[in-house]
Amino acid sequence: MADIARRTEHRYGNRPTMKDVAARAGVGLKTVSRVVNGEAGVTPDTERRVQEAIEILGFRRNDSARVLRKGRTATVGLVLEDLADPFYGPLSRAVEEVARAHGALLINGSSAEDPDREQELALALCARRVDGLIVIPAGDDHRYLEPEIRAGVATVFVDRPAGRLDVDAVLSDSFGGARDGVAHLIAHGHRRIGFIGDRPRIHTASERLRGYRSAMEDAGLPVDEAWVSPGSTEPERVAAAVRGMLAAPEPVTALFAGNNRVMVTVVRTLAGHPRPVALVGFDDMELADLLGITVIAQDAAALGRTAAERLFRRLDGVEDAPERVVLGTTLVARGSGEIPPTAR
């Protein structure tokens, strides 16, 4: 009970200090500092007394003073599009693992695909003196970061490039992956292939649409614009696009879904359709293997890891020209993309 009473001496907003630890352990302030910072010059018995005092008081080192002395916070910021999107889970985890290996803390937040919120979040992280930023952009003009970069904030963009700002970027091959996916459908006999994607202002969405058109052109196939439906990923919008393409006088026999959120709605909509429709989606998703869905898979963890490693290279003083790294994608055939076209 005495230990419990001692542990509750300090209330919220009244954190124990090194002076409190020194007083309880009966040592000088410099001795506590040496123990806290892992420095030599303290006897084992004294170190034990200090550690016991730290545990009893619940003392935690205040890194603010270290920041002022060293000019580094050992923190990096990650601005995501949507924390709930399963694609960003392995990406964020990979960034965190690299940060941890460098002794840094990761702070992340979601822009919710809102450019204003992205800017607000990125600048808020800079105001908290993060050493570096990794950004998945929502907007297309990132010149607001120029003063922060000049002030020394290392910055890397991932998944999409920065707009109007020359900085490092790590991307998946959205164009090549989409082209490969549509070519796969063409190779299985399809000639009327629909594309349902995200908003065209988004770099990845526009690149995947470009890949679709390229594959159709390479095969000498015309594209009816009724087969092309970029827009929001809201289920109602995507489902309406699917139904419209399937109800046309000459319906599509295959669909290419531009990302995992689009693909989920496409799968649900096709479940009620009387005819089999071939499907290839960009991005893997949970249960896609059990559902037999053919996908263009990108390595989200490799994106995050490569971006984080690039960021820490900058923090270590590498000053070469900004680089755009493009990682390849993989076509994973599971059955849905191999369904042959059927007559209406």
Side-chain angles (χ1 to χ4, degrees):
M1 293 297 292
D3 279 349
I4 294 174
R6 284 196 295 270
R7 289 174 186 271
T8 57
E9 287 175 4
H10 292 277
R11 301 296 181 181
Y12 297 118
N14 184 24
R15 297 178 179 176
T17 66
M18 283 202 292
K19 286 184 179 180
D20 298 323
V21 175
R24 180 171 287 279
V27 300
L29 190 61
K30 181 61 177 176
T31 299
V32 175
S33 176
R34 284 174 176 158
V35 172
V36 168
N37 292 299
E39 297 173 2
V42 181
T43 66
D45 180 65
T46 300
E47 181 177 0
R48 178 185 56 76
R49 297 203 329 265
V50 172
Q51 293 289 6
E52 286 177 353
I54 287 172
E55 182 180 353
I56 289 169
L57 293 172
F59 170 79
R60 293 293 180 270
R61 184 177 67 187
N62 182 354
D63 282 338
S64 297
R66 289 164 57 86
V67 170
L68 292 175
R69 290 198 307 271
K70 298 185 177 183
R72 289 277 290 270
T73 63
T75 57
V76 293
L78 172 61
V79 179
L80 297 163
E81 177 199 339
D82 184 356
L83 290 169
D85 189 324
F87 172 76
Y88 295 118
L91 188 154
S92 176
R93 187 164 55 250
V95 172
E96 186 171 19
E97 287 172 355
V98 174
R100 183 179 180 186
H102 285 81
L105 177 70
L106 177 69
I107 305 172
N108 61 30
S110 172
S111 70
E113 201 62 60
D114 181 343
D116 292 335
R117 185 167 171 178
E118 172 216 297
Q119 178 173 341
E120 178 184 358
L121 178 57
L123 292 179
L125 290 168
C126 291
R128 284 159 178 76
R129 298 193 64 184
V130 295
D131 299 315
L133 278 178
I134 295 176
V135 181
I136 298 172
D140 55 11
D141 186 348
H142 296 93
R143 289 175 295 176
Y144 69 85
L145 283 172
E146 286 179 342
E148 311 301 331
I149 293 171
R150 285 197 298 270
V153 179
T155 305
V156 177
F157 279 64
V158 65
D159 190 41
R160 308 165 187 172
R164 308 182 75 176
L165 186 67
D166 189 19
V167 294
D168 293 318
V170 180
L171 318 173
S172 288
D173 186 5
S174 287
F175 169 77
R179 183 182 56 193
D180 291 346
V182 176
H184 185 73
L185 291 168
I186 294 170
H188 283 80
H190 295 278
R191 299 296 178 265
R192 299 194 302 273
I193 301 171
F195 174 93
I196 303 177
D198 210 330
R199 297 174 179 89
R201 67 171 176 79
I202 297 172
H203 173 80
T204 49
S206 64
E207 284 293 282
R208 291 167 197 176
L209 177 55
R210 192 167 70 87
Y212 161 82
R213 292 188 184 279
S214 177
M216 296 292 279
E217 181 181 355
D218 289 347
L221 298 176
V223 174
D224 187 329
E225 290 306 313
W227 303 343
V228 179
S229 182
S232 82
T233 59
E234 290 299 317
E236 295 79 6
R237 202 282 302 178
V238 174
V242 173
R243 289 192 293 265
M245 292 181 192
L246 296 178
E250 289 192 313
V252 298
T253 61
L255 290 167
F256 185 86
N259 63 31
N260 56 358
R261 284 167 293 183
V262 170
M263 184 162 56
V264 168
T265 301
V266 171
V267 170
R268 287 175 174 161
T269 307
L270 291 179
H273 192 66
R275 292 183 295 106
V277 177
L279 170 65
V280 173
F282 202 111
D283 288 340
D284 213 344
M285 68 176 192
E286 190 175 4
L287 302 182
D289 54 341
L290 296 179
L291 295 171
I293 300 172
T294 296
V295 300
I296 300 297
Q298 52 180 333
D299 192 337
L303 283 170
R305 184 169 55 254
T306 305
E309 289 170 349
R310 186 71 187 176
L311 183 77
F312 280 97
R313 284 186 64 205
R314 293 296 186 193
L315 289 173
D316 288 340
V318 174
E319 296 183 355
D320 52 6
E323 183 180 4
R324 179 177 291 199
V325 179
V326 180
L327 305 183
T329 57
T330 304
L331 190 148
V332 184
R334 297 187 176 124
S336 71
E338 296 70 56
I339 298 171
T342 57
R344 186 171 183 177

